[in-house]
Amino acid sequence: KYTATNSSVAQVDDGAIPPRSPQGDGALPPRSPQGDAGLVAVAGPGEAAITAWYLSKIAIAAVTVPFEKAVPPEVFTRAERRNFIDDLILAKLQSLNLPPSPLAGDAEFLRRASLDTIGVLPSAEEVRAFLSDPSAGKRGQLIDRLLKRPEFADYWSYKWSDLFLVNSEKLRPAAMWAYYNWIRDSVAANKPWDRMARELIVAKGSTFENGATNFYLLHPDPLEMAETASLAFLGMSINCARCHNHPMEKWTNDQYYGMANLFSRVRAKDLPGDGNRMVFAAAEGDLVQPLTGRPQPPRPLDGEALPVESPEDRRVHLARWLTAPDNPYFSRAIANRVWANFMGVGLVQNVDDMRLTNPASNEEVLAALAKFLAERHYDLKALMRAILESAAYQRSSRALPENAADRRYYSRYYPRRLMAEVLLDAISQATAAPTAFPGYPAGWRALQLPDSNVSSYFLKSFGRPERLITCECERTAEPSMTQVLHLSNGDTLNQKLEAPLNRLERLLTAGAPGEKIIEEAYLSALSRFPTRAETEKLLEVLSQAGAGEQKTVYQDLFWSLLCSKEFLFNH
């Protein structure tokens, strides 16, 4: 069987069962002269993976079709190169005839890096200071500052809480807080990713005292434990092999139940306290494989099996295999997740779909990132710094005519809508009117919430995940009419623009001139100064407004900026 991924090629004939006669007489036409070699046809420029599989054996071949317009070699030799990422990205772009866009300006880079690293807009003061700084190394210095900011822990704790499903709908409040605090303390301490994985996989003890144990309260079934652990740490869904050998992947039903049997001895018992339970590993107990009627030897996917009679905690064996530097999946999965956060599109897309039959758009980059991370003992900040410093990340989001069709090779930065929590916090920051969350202290940002089970019409409308399954598919950035209406005339923006002591009210109370208010609005919302044309046009509108109408004009200015694509998107 042959299939093709990406639109660059289309399956025409697999050489096995030719299509019936177009005359409709039921007769089979002669076999293709290509026979069992198969036949594919090019449908456009780019790259595609041709997959052949038989039973659980898979082979991949790549077809590359450069874009038509040739690019002079000096475009690539002169292109900015900051580290190994740029060498590999530019090599791919050159092979496809895709010229890179130039580097982004300082204002664009400042806003982008801040949102991607800490989920917070730069303040007006930070914008002024950065844009007036003449030093050549200011971008590197900004990166160092962002990685040290306290908001870094908020942002990445929230990201990993999505991954690990921190949710008070399934956990009691004290247990939920213990789980979240384990994640946040790990991020704040820059705990290596392999250590976080080990601590979660082998977690035992009180769910109040060891927050990582709550992973097992969320997944009481060994099958769910195996499936979620595979998605979270390997980026792979193995659940299709629960009933039979995976139809489009290497995993077999035997491998699935061998993996699940590693969790079959996890037990929990009640302790004093609402939601407090003791998680421990029993000395016996096996998961029966339905197709065979007997247990599979406990085995981490394609790792070594443990003897069924072994009394050791099977999860320790799994953790050793999972975090081993030579594990071909672990480093790649987390490197791809981090890359997708900064670049907008994963090298393997989607990040939860790291199948062999879903290859990376640039395998050399993914392999290099995984190797870089493993060599630095899974220090995620080191990986983030390398990505942030690269010219590939720092390119403009404005497309050139020659690379406008590119969506996956990183010839430019791909604009994307801010995720729901970042967007709400950005609106609150730009207006200086915090959002109130029931049950949480005044002034808390959405990214500081430990729990997804917090009432918020805005967050729900803009795609906040419910944290019911470990899958990026729970979060959505798809536009909807609900979002349009809520921005246009919903409570969130209107209440913030009317809030006492908001940014506009403070400026008016201080007697700031019109040009100053316009400048503050642009710096706070868009992280740039208004152009002279923008300022002049707005001042003209203000001059035509009556004395009692000027506040409304200023409110309309803030509203228009906060509803603009320039604000709603990171770019």
Side-chain angles (χ1 to χ4, degrees):
K1 181 70 177 176
Y2 301 90
T3 61
T5 61
N6 197 352
S7 58
S8 299
V9 295
Q11 179 181 344
V12 175
D13 178 24
D14 67 7
I17 303 177
R20 291 190 176 272
S21 167
Q23 284 74 30
D25 56 8
L28 290 175
R31 288 179 65 85
S32 162
Q34 286 79 16
D36 291 338
L39 178 67
V40 297
V42 172
E47 280 195 337
I50 310 301
T51 303
W53 73 89
Y54 178 74
L55 299 178
S56 60
K57 304 297 183 183
I58 294 173
I60 305 280
V63 175
T64 302
V65 181
F67 285 76
E68 290 184 6
K69 188 172 182 179
V71 181
E74 55 267 23
V75 169
F76 301 99
T77 56
R78 294 174 183 170
E80 187 86 16
R81 296 171 190 257
R82 304 281 178 83
N83 55 29
F84 69 95
I85 293 172
D86 296 321
D87 293 335
L88 298 171
I89 291 289
L90 288 169
K92 173 68 75 175
L93 294 179
Q94 186 167 13
S95 73
L96 291 167
N97 283 339
L98 283 171
S101 290
L103 295 186
D106 284 343
E108 191 176 1
F109 174 74
L110 171 63
R111 186 178 194 269
R112 176 192 304 172
S114 298
L115 289 170
D116 284 342
T117 309
I118 62 175
V120 175
L121 286 171
S123 67
E125 294 74 19
E126 288 171 325
V127 177
R128 286 192 180 92
F130 190 75
L131 297 184
S132 63
D133 184 354
S135 63
K138 66 179 182 180
R139 292 195 181 192
Q141 294 165 9
L142 170 67
I143 293 167
D144 289 339
R145 289 196 301 272
L146 291 173
L147 294 173
K148 294 175 183 176
R149 289 267 295 264
E151 296 93 338
F152 177 91
D154 297 331
Y155 179 74
W156 288 96
S157 297
Y158 202 96
K159 297 279 285 188
W160 303 145
S161 293
D162 280 355
L163 187 66
F164 298 138
L165 307 180
V166 180
N167 185 345
S168 66
E169 190 172 328
K170 293 190 174 184
L171 296 171
R172 300 301 297 159
M176 182 274 293
W177 274 106
Y179 197 17
Y180 173 77
N181 286 334
W182 172 76
I183 295 171
R184 196 182 193 288
D185 291 346
S186 298
V187 173
N190 195 31
K191 186 182 293 180
W193 185 249
D194 62 335
R195 184 178 160 195
M196 280 189 71
R198 280 195 301 271
E199 288 183 6
L200 187 138
I201 293 296
V202 304
K204 58 184 178 181
S206 163
T207 53
F208 285 6
E209 296 173 5
N210 180 5
T213 56
N214 287 284
F215 172 82
Y216 291 104
L217 293 195
L218 291 167
H219 305 94
D221 184 290
L223 304 179
E224 292 181 17
M225 296 174 194
E227 291 174 6
T228 301
S230 297
L231 270 172
F233 295 116
L234 305 175
M236 293 188 299
S237 174
I238 62 171
N239 59 335
C240 280
R242 180 187 284 204
C243 301
H244 46 70
N245 292 347
H246 201 302
M248 295 181 61
E249 194 48 272
K250 62 181 286 187
W251 308 121
T252 66
N253 186 247
D254 287 350
Q255 287 175 306
Y256 176 92
Y257 277 92
M259 179 75 166
N261 205 15
L262 290 162
F263 294 99
S264 62
R265 296 180 178 178
V266 178
R267 303 284 188 271
K269 61 182 180 181
D270 291 336
L271 291 174
D274 183 18
N276 190 14
R277 306 198 74 195
M278 172 69 73
V279 174
F280 63 98
E284 57 184 20
D286 285 295
L287 180 68
V288 174
Q289 181 180 1
L291 291 181
T292 64
R294 61 179 185 274
Q296 273 293 320
R299 175 188 177 191
L301 291 181
D302 52 9
E304 294 295 324
L306 275 176
V308 174
E309 64 276 7
S310 174
E312 73 171 286
D313 186 345
R314 294 171 173 180
R315 299 174 303 158
V316 174
H317 179 65
L318 170 61
R320 281 196 296 264
W321 170 83
L322 184 70
T323 61
D326 59 350
N327 185 317
Y329 315 113
F330 181 74
S331 301
R332 290 166 62 87
I334 186 58
N336 191 53
R337 285 190 190 278
V338 172
W339 177 270
N341 174 83
F342 289 98
M343 304 300 286
V345 178
L347 289 156
V348 174
Q349 190 69 3
N350 294 318
V351 296
D352 299 304
D353 192 18
M354 299 282 288
R355 291 175 289 117
L356 181 62
T357 49
N358 184 32
S361 60
N362 192 321
E363 173 57 32
E364 289 75 15
V365 172
L366 182 55
L369 292 173
K371 182 173 182 287
F372 177 91
L373 186 58
E375 288 176 345
R376 282 152 185 80
H377 309 289
Y378 297 95
D379 180 348
L380 294 187
K381 282 191 177 182
L383 177 63
M384 294 174 191
R385 181 178 285 105
I387 295 171
L388 285 161
E389 289 175 345
S390 70
Y393 176 78
Q394 297 189 24
R395 286 197 185 105
S396 173
S397 60
R398 286 179 285 278
L400 303 174
E402 299 84 359
N403 68 20
D406 172 30
R407 296 291 185 274
R408 58 183 312 218
Y409 303 111
Y410 313 103
S411 60
R412 53 193 168 84
Y413 183 88
Y414 307 123
R416 62 192 189 276
R417 204 209 73 200
L418 302 180
M419 74 182 205
E421 299 83 352
V422 173
L423 180 55
L424 181 55
D425 286 347
I427 293 172
S428 299
Q429 182 181 340
T431 57
T435 301
F437 296 104
Y440 290 89
W444 269 44
R445 294 176 293 110
L447 283 175
Q448 291 178 296
L449 298 172
D451 183 15
S452 64
N453 190 31
V454 176
S455 178
S456 171
Y457 182 80
F458 185 97
L459 295 179
K460 182 179 180 180
S461 300
F462 282 83
R464 176 186 62 183
E466 296 184 34
R467 295 181 181 170
L468 300 178
I469 57 173
T470 296
C471 180
E472 283 289 315
C473 58
E474 269 208 322
R475 179 179 292 281
T476 176
E478 290 297 313
S480 69
M481 186 55 65
T482 300
Q483 296 169 8
V484 173
L485 293 174
H486 192 63
L487 286 174
S488 299
N489 200 32
D491 292 340
T492 301
L493 260 179
N494 285 335
Q495 289 178 0
K496 291 182 184 300
L497 292 174
E498 294 283 356
L501 301 179
N502 65 12
R503 188 178 303 279
L504 175 58
E505 197 68 41
R506 293 174 192 174
L507 289 166
L508 291 173
T509 302
E515 192 163 351
K516 172 69 172 176
I517 295 176
I518 293 168
E519 182 179 286
E520 285 293 314
Y522 272 80
L523 289 173
S524 301
L526 305 183
S527 305
R528 67 171 176 86
F529 287 98
T531 65
R532 173 47 55 187
E534 288 169 333
T535 301
E536 289 175 353
K537 185 174 182 179
L538 289 165
L539 288 175
E540 181 182 353
V541 174
L542 281 166
S543 68
Q544 296 171 358
E549 299 176 339
Q550 289 203 345
K551 181 178 178 179
T552 301
V553 172
Y554 286 128
Q555 288 176 332
D556 288 347
L557 165 60
F558 272 88
W559 178 88
S560 63
L561 292 176
L562 297 177
C563 291
S564 68
K565 288 193 291 185
E566 190 174 355
F567 176 80
L568 297 172
F569 282 69
N570 200 3
H571 48 81

